[in-house]
Amino acid sequence: MEAFEDGTEIIRVYLALKVEEATAVERTLDAAGVEYGIEVEDIVLPNGLGLKTTRSAAGFWIREPALDAAEAALVAAKLEKGLVLR
């Protein structure tokens, strides 16, 4: 995340809940030439019993002008599950 300059408008494009998913997102964004930052985030989700549990997830952040290219690459790679809706 430190690679982004101060004042740069960045947005979260993807939230990966599993390591394998995060790795696939990294490969896809790298192949598309999209610069990104990753931030580990704690999120609260219901478990199988309906109780809330905290999990760690990888948030993928990009510069706003790269949003269309990143989204197109992730959709083409069938990585839509964690795509952040605009």
Side-chain angles (χ1 to χ4, degrees):
M1 296 296 289
E2 292 83 27
F4 292 118
E5 300 165 8
D6 285 338
T8 300
E9 184 70 29
I10 59 172
I11 55 175
R12 185 172 65 193
V13 69
Y14 201 92
L15 188 63
L17 298 177
K18 297 181 180 181
V19 173
E20 299 83 11
E21 182 182 13
T23 301
V25 171
E26 284 183 291
R27 279 193 296 249
T28 301
L29 294 177
D30 285 342
V34 175
E35 184 180 1
Y36 58 90
I38 302 172
E39 186 172 61
V40 176
E41 305 174 26
D42 288 332
I43 59 171
V44 178
L45 296 171
N47 64 16
L49 301 174
L51 304 173
K52 293 182 179 181
T53 182
T54 301
R55 292 185 56 187
S56 293
F60 286 80
W61 295 80
I62 60 170
R63 287 185 173 88
E64 189 173 18
L67 180 58
D68 289 336
E71 188 176 77
L74 292 165
V75 168
K78 301 193 184 322
L79 291 166
E80 299 169 322
K81 184 176 182 182
L83 208 57
V84 176
L85 300 177
R86 297 189 205 199

